[in-house]
């Protein structure tokens, strides 16, 4: 496997290189095809890896191969190598599959965009960094990918760089991510300080003996690393960049939300589950942050008007579920939800893109301007509906199985508070996502007549990818159905978390007893009922009784306003962080202007004046130079005589 | 009898005349000629030293004294350098004349600070 696995990330990098160097001159409108072809080859190789690993299941021995030493200094040695275990295989598959589909869709979506080549230079680069992130065999290599996706998100969110809000959103994403990355870097350095190892294999070997269970060092390290994850994976308190990231083209949003970038934090926690299992305090915090984020973001999504913004908050909420699962020690459930979420969220985003395409918009569409699109856009409507049901958590679609497993793990692990947050978020999820669906596709069209004339279904190049994603949104959940006693996905990934579970004092996975199995069924039915209630409520508010929505809005005016303004968090951050920071900047600028620049200018001026005086020596007359030479020579001769 | 000192004094006088010529005259051609004079003063000194090795008094061996006479070869080196220098110098003077219609060096003071 090691002979070809390195090609998986390299192929998209080559495509990015080709498009970046020769795109404008030679490749032009084929840039999308180059990127997609490279991505499909990558997918094929990832698939081969999966086919090698899958039959061996839990017995698959991780491939850990160093290609060469990247950094070496003293005891520090960071190789450039790959680490492929069950977790990497799953991530590689998800990233390359979803990216391939998005790339193909983007060929159609971005067709008439003037920045086509630039777009298809950044996109493969994005995927390259993400693949590097999930395949690297050491923390620094993971960090390279981690920073790389941050860079690419900046480039792609600010893709329409001539518009202020897009440029600002790009900057915001980059800066907020950098704040998190700072924590990640500190955590990594501390880890090296205590264990002397940065390679995953060395780390897993030395961590149990280097740290005391629940000790201060391990808690601090995991907290810092998790702080990095809150930035990358958009959790409280660093989630603020993700909703603004909608300023980029829709395929970028899909890529960020489904395949690359935001899943990096969840992957990192799952990869280092051994460390997290040794720090129960951190795990508790991870769970609480995840649960709070899940409910918080879902509540904001309830009242937003922009289609993509609703989906953005939905992503934050779903990521919250994943961290909730990590917090309860159910890392595999988190990865499972990551996978199913990648499919249905990509499908939702690309569906929203298809709607934007019909509206001839580049960034976003107000859901109250749409409506009744089911008649003109049947393919988009059906795929959107499937992924909507999937995210709402209705069986037998993917979202139900993964979300239900997380809730069950929270409940059975005794985290009733987290379970309560999860179930409340599930209700909100069903409500906001069907609100979005109903406003877009049900009822009658509410836009202008001219817009109506231009509405059209997207070309096959766009709806076929949608259909593929919808297919996975249906089936991906069947990989793991604990309700029916099938634990395929869980058993496959079990070796990744086995060591951590062994170390953790509390048993995270109690053996499933018959009575508990009954309880599991009851809970599952309960959560389905909650989801159905949410759907019915959305249907009631926006289809059956449209006036009810506005009446409710009036009677709960204050709550509605707070939700609509996202709890005013942006303003609070602006007041506390941004403005104080600007004050510091202004002070620094004053210091720079008055002290550094003024001092340097004074120095330069005095040098100038001195030179003005001294330059008179240069008369330009040969005679004077000759005299100086002669005098100098005589002086030298005399000096020589005096010395000897 | 003419001793080494006579030659050296003549050489010093010639050198001084040449140096004064370089410093005082304004005509570039004359300055060039004065430089030649200085070089030849040096030549004279070299030849004189080769002819009257003052190591004789120190008591040098015969074969070393023979070697001391080889110093005259340096004169040829100096003459060659002088010829090359004059070539370059004249070329500069011709160009100076073409630019300024004069070879007075006080006119050519572009480097004045």
């Amino acid at each position: 496997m090691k002979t070809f696995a390195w090609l998986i990330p390299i192929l998209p990098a080559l495509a990015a290189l080709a498009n970046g160097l020769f795109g404008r001159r030679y490749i032009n409108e084929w840039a999308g095809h180059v990127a997609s072809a490279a991505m499909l080859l990558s997918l094929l190789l990832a698939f081969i890896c999966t086919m090698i690993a899958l039959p061996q299941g839990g017995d698959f021995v991780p491939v850990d191969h160093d290609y060469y030493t990247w950094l070496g200094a003293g005891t520090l040695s960071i190789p450039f190598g790959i680490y492929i275990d069950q977790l990497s295989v799953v991530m590689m598959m998800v990233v390359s599959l979803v990216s391939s589909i998005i790339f193909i869709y983007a060929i159609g979506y971005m067709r008439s965009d003037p920045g086509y080549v630039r777009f298809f230079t950044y996109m493969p680069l994005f995927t390259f960094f993400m693949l590097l992130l999930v395949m690297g065999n050491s923390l620094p290599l993971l960090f390279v990918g981690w920073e790389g996706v941050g860079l690419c998100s900046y480039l792609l969110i600010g893709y329409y760089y001539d518009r202020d809000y897009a440029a600002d959103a790009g900057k915001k994403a980059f800066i907020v991510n950098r704040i998190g990355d700072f924590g990640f870097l500190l955590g990594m350095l501390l880890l090296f300080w205590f264990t002397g190892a940065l390679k995953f294999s060395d780390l897993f070997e030395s961590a149990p003996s280097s740290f005391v269970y629940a000790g201060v060092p391990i808690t601090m390290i995991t907290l810092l690393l998790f702080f990095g994850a809150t930035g990358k994976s958009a959790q409280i308190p660093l989630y603020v960049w993700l909703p603004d990231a909608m300023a980029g083209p829709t395929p970028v949003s899909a890529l960020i939300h489904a395949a690359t970038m935001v899943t990096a934090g969840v992957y990192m926690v799952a990869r280092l589950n051994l460390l997290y299992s040794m720090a129960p305090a951190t795990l508790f915090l991870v769970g609480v942050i995840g649960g709070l984020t899940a409910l918080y973001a879902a509540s904001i999504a309830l009242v937003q008007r922009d289609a993509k913004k609703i989906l953005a908050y939905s992503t934050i909420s779903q990521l919250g579920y994943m961290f909730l699962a990590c917090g309860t020690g159910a890392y595999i459930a988190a990865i499972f939800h990551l996978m199913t979420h990648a499919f249905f969220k990509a499908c939702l985003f690309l569906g929203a893109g298809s709607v934007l395409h019909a509206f001839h918009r580049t960034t976003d569409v107000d859901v109250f301007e749409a409506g009744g699109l089911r008649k003109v856009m049947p393919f988009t409507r059906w795929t959107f509906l499937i992924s909507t049901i999937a995210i709402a958590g209705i069986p037998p679609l993917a979202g139900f199985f993964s979300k239900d497993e997380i809730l069950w793990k929270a409940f059975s692990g005794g985290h009733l508070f987290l379970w309560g947050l999860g179930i409340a978020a599930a209700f909100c999820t069903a409500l906001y996502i069907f609100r979005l669906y109903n406003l877009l596709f049900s009822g009658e069209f509410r836009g202008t007549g001219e817009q109506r004339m231009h509405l059209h279904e997207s070309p096959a190049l766009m709806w076929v990818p949608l259909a593929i994603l919808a297919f996975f949104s249906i089936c991906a959940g069947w990989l793991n159905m604990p309700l029916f006693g099938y634990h395929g996905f869980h058993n496959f990934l079990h070796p990744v978390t086995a060591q951590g579970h062994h170390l953790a004092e509390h048993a995270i996975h109690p053996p499933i007893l018959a009575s508990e199995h009954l309880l599991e069924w009851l809970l599952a039915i309960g959560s389905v009922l909650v989801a159905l209630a949410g759907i019915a409520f959305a249907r009631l508010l926006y289809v059956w009784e449209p006036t009810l929505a506005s009446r409710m809005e009036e009677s709960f005016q204050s709550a509605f306003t707070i939700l609509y303004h996202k709890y005013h968090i942006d303003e609070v951050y602006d007041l506390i962080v941004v403005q104080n920071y600007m004050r510091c900047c202004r002070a620094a600028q004053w210091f720079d202007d008055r002290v550094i620049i003024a001092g340097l200018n004074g120095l330069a001026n005095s040098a100038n004046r001195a030179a003005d005086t001294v330059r008179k020596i240069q008369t330009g007359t040969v005679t004077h130079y000759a005299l100086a030479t002669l005098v100098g020579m005589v002086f030298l001769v005399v000096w020589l005589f005096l010395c000897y | 009898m003419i001793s080494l000192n006579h030659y050296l004094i003549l050489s010093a006088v010639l050198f001084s005349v040449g140096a004064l010529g370089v410093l005082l005259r304004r005509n570039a051609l004359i300055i060039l000629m004065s430089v030649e004079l200085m070089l030849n003063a040096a030549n004279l000194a070299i030849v004189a030293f080769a002819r009257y090795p003052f190591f004789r008094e120190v008591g040098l061996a015969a074969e070393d004294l023979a070697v001391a006479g080889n110093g005259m070869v340096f004169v040829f080196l100096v003459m060659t350098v002088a010829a090359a220098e004059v070539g370059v110098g004249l070329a500069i003077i011709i160009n100076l004349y073409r630019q300024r219609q004069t070879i007075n060096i006080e006119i050519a003071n572009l480097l004045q600070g």
Side-chain angles (χ1 to χ4, degrees), chain A residues 615 618-620 623 626-627 630, chain B residues 15 22-23 105 108-109 111-113:
Chain A
R615 69 172 197 176
Q618 301 286 342
T619 59
T623 313
L627 183 64
L630 191 71
Chain B
F15 189 87
V22 168
L23 291 179
I105 52 155
N109 61 350
L111 282 180
Q112 189 178 27

Side-chain angles (χ1 to χ4, degrees), chain A residues 53-72:
Chain A
L54 205 55
Q56 303 172 40
D59 301 328
F60 174 65
V61 182
V63 176
D64 184 4
H65 183 70
D66 298 344
Y67 289 104
Y68 65 92
T69 304
W70 176 33
L71 294 172

Side-chain angles (χ1 to χ4, degrees), chain A residues 273 493-503:
Chain A
N273 66 78
L493 276 175
H494 182 67
V496 179
T497 57
Q499 206 187 351
H501 284 165
H502 183 67
L503 274 173

Side-chain angles (χ1 to χ4, degrees), chain B residues 84-106:
Chain B
E85 178 240 304
V86 167
V88 176
L90 282 175
I92 291 172
I93 290 171
I94 289 170
N95 272 308
L96 179 66
Y97 185 77
R98 285 191 179 156
Q99 294 275 325
R100 301 277 162 112
Q101 276 73 49
T102 173
I103 51 172
N104 186 339
I105 52 155
E106 290 200 333

Side-chain angles (χ1 to χ4, degrees), chain A residues 21 30 91 148 162 165 216 290 297 302 373 383 390 398 437 578 620 636:
Chain A
L21 292 179
W30 295 100
M91 291 300 292
D162 50 349
Y165 64 86
V216 174
L302 286 176
L373 296 179
T383 53
Y437 171 78
V578 179
L636 275 179

Side-chain angles (χ1 to χ4, degrees), chain A residues 579-597:
Chain A
Q579 299 222 355
N580 283 329
Y581 177 70
M582 295 297 263
R583 249 172 240 137
C584 293
C585 289
R586 274 194 290 274
Q589 194 190 11
W590 179 88
F591 183 78
D592 187 40
D593 281 350
R594 297 295 156 85
V595 180
I596 295 177
I597 291 182

Side-chain angles (χ1 to χ4, degrees), chain A residues 529-574:
Chain A
L529 286 178
V530 165
L532 283 174
I535 294 170
F537 196 40
R539 198 84 191 147
L540 173 74
L541 282 180
Y542 297 99
V543 182
W544 295 327
E545 203 67 48
T547 53
L548 190 61
S550 47
R551 277 210 308 270
M552 271 186 69
E553 195 181 322
E554 272 163 30
S555 40
F556 298 104
Q557 186 68 41
S558 55
F560 189 87
T561 319
I562 287 178
L563 282 183
Y564 185 69
H565 290 107
K566 311 147 201 162
Y567 296 96
H568 296 282
I569 282 296
D570 275 339
E571 286 79 4
V572 171
Y573 276 6
D574 183 63

